[in-house]
Amino acid sequence: MSALPAVFADLQPAAVWRHFATLCAIPRPSKAEDALRDHLHAWAVARGLEAHVDGAGNLIVRKPASPGHEAAPGVVLQAHLDMVCQKNADTDHDFTRDPIRPVLKDGWLVAEGTTLGADNGIGVALILAVLDDSRLVHGPLEALLTVDEEAGMGGAQGLEPGVLQGRLMLNIDTEDWGEFYLGCAGGLDVNVARPGTPDALPAGHEAWQIALTGLRGGHSGVNIHEERGNAIKLLVRVLRDLESQFPLRLASLEGGTARNALPREARATVALPAGRGDALGEALARWQTTLRQELAGVDAGVSLAHAPASADAVLTPAEQSVWLASLHAAPHGVRRQSLAVPGVVETSNNLGMASVGPDGGSCNFMVRSLIDSGSDALADEIVSLFALSGTAASKSGHYPGWAPNPASPLLARCQRVYARDFGGESVVKVVHAGLECGIIGAKYPGMDTVSFGPTIRGAHAPGERVEIEAVGKVWQLLTAILADIAQV
């Protein structure tokens, strides 16, 4: 790799940030982690570590116990290689080719126009630093660096039973320092697709693009309860109202770019009779005022704008009605709060992506629940909604939740080390997001697992940032836990 970028030069712990710089330099979208994985495989082999890539594409690296600690329980250190790739519309960035370019701001490392990939690159960097440090005290270690976590948990789903030797697992993929996670939601996807037959652009009509922008976006599980705006749902709502004011014909609707990110932006191309542009602008200005009032304190930066566009064809009136009515009626957000775990969302869904045009369209819903039957029930409702119009909708990619075990000996050890080294009480939580722990645990019954990590804000959205001080604390905690486990 090239020289360490200046932004990382003075950050501590240096080894962790050096590895994170590598992850920023090598593109790693979901399903395209090969270059990074192969680089890390070669790095591990060059250091005399046992390393191999399994059939699912995961990288597994083994490090022997430090001298005198060979009899200690084996520990699996787990994180995922891929990142959510989101950028602002005015940011020129190709996630398949360009490096992430973070900056320092008030104690945080930030990517201003893109996602940073601290989720889960910091977890990977912490694990690599453990593998790299010959001075640490620990028992036998295995690093499980999975692929395709953000786009369907493919790496964890494809992990074979019997590969891992350790029976304790530390997952480094949560986003609040001082908290230990002991359970997470499972989920599945609902994929909707419908063909269409184009209509010609009506005579005497002109095309306009309507853009809804300025939303914060965020993680579709972690932030779902905050009532942030969904650009697709909001723009569809606006379009439904515009239909009542104008003889509007829809040419296209596009919104969202990731199934597990709250849609920040959406755009529609519409055709109106010539000369109605000013009236369209006035209607959008009224809607912008309404939406800013509704989203005050959450997403008050929402913006609606229109500009001349071009269109060769539009949806038929029947198809336009089906799509706008269905998307308007489709659920999004929190369905139910947990009664078993107060303060935690039990079931939710995210209308994360939609793409509709004259030839047909598609959309995706990501459904999450702490209870498998809860996610199935909500997914079935969505399938039934689209079935009313004869639209194909199918469920796929189910992954199990991670059931909490409050009596976990590993949790008790982690809490004890935290209290000893940081002089305070840690917090135990269940997160309404998908971690790979449940999938891995189903393949390795009896695996005792705890998840923790540094403070990350804005995951899955441009402006994602990680607190530098918290990364140092996690490094201190991780190495202390490994040393504590080694004392047998």
Side-chain angles (χ1 to χ4, degrees), residues 246-296:
F246 306 99
L248 177 148
R249 298 294 299 275
L250 180 66
S252 68
L253 171 64
E254 302 282 342
T257 58
R259 54 194 272 286
N260 53 1
L262 301 172
R264 297 173 295 105
E265 299 179 350
R267 288 170 172 77
T269 300
V270 300
L272 301 175
R276 304 302 297 274
D278 289 344
L280 174 63
E282 292 169 0
L284 293 177
R286 290 192 295 271
W287 263 108
Q288 178 174 284
T289 298
T290 297
L291 295 179
R292 287 184 174 181
Q293 290 172 343
E294 290 183 3
L295 296 171

Side-chain angles (χ1 to χ4, degrees), residues 13 35 88 99 104 147 228 252 282 291 335-336 338 366 375 389 420 424 459 464 468:
N88 291 327
L104 292 174
V147 296
R228 298 183 185 187
S252 68
E282 292 169 0
L291 295 179
R335 166 56 60 90
R336 190 169 190 256
S338 175
M366 186 174 185
S375 54
S389 60
R420 181 195 72 198
E464 177 187 358
I468 294 163

Side-chain angles (χ1 to χ4, degrees), residues 285-336:
R286 290 192 295 271
W287 263 108
Q288 178 174 284
T289 298
T290 297
L291 295 179
R292 287 184 174 181
Q293 290 172 343
E294 290 183 3
L295 296 171
V298 179
D299 257 326
V302 62
S303 175
L304 277 166
H306 71 300
S310 60
D312 298 323
V314 294
L315 278 70
T316 65
E319 288 302 300
Q320 177 174 322
S321 178
V322 165
W323 275 111
L324 292 184
S326 298
L327 291 173
H328 190 52
H332 167 83
V334 175
R335 166 56 60 90
R336 190 169 190 256

Side-chain angles (χ1 to χ4, degrees), residues 127-355:
I127 293 170
L128 294 174
V130 168
L131 297 176
D132 207 9
D133 195 333
S134 61
R135 301 164 299 174
L136 298 180
V137 174
H138 55 78
L141 298 180
E142 294 170 283
L144 172 61
L145 305 178
T146 53
V147 296
D148 195 31
E149 191 268 358
E150 300 288 9
M153 304 278 188
Q157 297 274 22
L159 178 68
E160 292 290 338
V163 173
L164 301 177
Q165 299 167 5
R167 287 299 177 267
L168 303 177
M169 188 168 82
L170 297 173
N171 167 276
I172 318 296
D173 189 19
T174 47
E175 299 168 6
D176 282 285
W177 162 249
E179 298 180 352
F180 293 112
Y181 286 80
L182 203 60
C184 73
L188 73 161
D189 288 88
V190 178
N191 297 298
V192 178
R194 180 181 175 90
T197 301
D199 253 6
L201 185 73
H205 279 55
E206 57 188 11
W208 295 89
Q209 184 186 78
I210 302 172
L212 191 151
T213 60
L215 299 176
R216 296 165 65 193
H219 191 294
S220 67
V222 174
N223 302 121
I224 197 72
H225 64 288
E226 297 176 12
E227 302 293 343
R228 298 183 185 187
N230 179 314
I232 299 169
K233 293 288 291 182
L234 294 175
L235 184 54
V236 167
R237 182 179 163 197
V238 171
L239 292 173
R240 292 277 288 170
D241 179 65
L242 293 177
E243 282 183 316
S244 68
Q245 301 181 48
F246 306 99
L248 177 148
R249 298 294 299 275
L250 180 66
S252 68
L253 171 64
E254 302 282 342
T257 58
R259 54 194 272 286
N260 53 1
L262 301 172
R264 297 173 295 105
E265 299 179 350
R267 288 170 172 77
T269 300
V270 300
L272 301 175
R276 304 302 297 274
D278 289 344
L280 174 63
E282 292 169 0
L284 293 177
R286 290 192 295 271
W287 263 108
Q288 178 174 284
T289 298
T290 297
L291 295 179
R292 287 184 174 181
Q293 290 172 343
E294 290 183 3
L295 296 171
V298 179
D299 257 326
V302 62
S303 175
L304 277 166
H306 71 300
S310 60
D312 298 323
V314 294
L315 278 70
T316 65
E319 288 302 300
Q320 177 174 322
S321 178
V322 165
W323 275 111
L324 292 184
S326 298
L327 291 173
H328 190 52
H332 167 83
V334 175
R335 166 56 60 90
R336 190 169 190 256
Q337 292 283 344
S338 175
L339 300 179
V341 188
V344 175
V345 174
E346 180 181 280
T347 305
S348 75
N349 84 293
N350 178 48
L351 171 55
M353 297 184 289
S355 177

Side-chain angles (χ1 to χ4, degrees), residues 36-47 51 59:
L36 174 62
R37 184 196 60 216
D38 294 347
H39 173 85
L40 296 181
H41 181 273
W43 171 87
V45 171
R47 278 152 182 76
L59 177 61

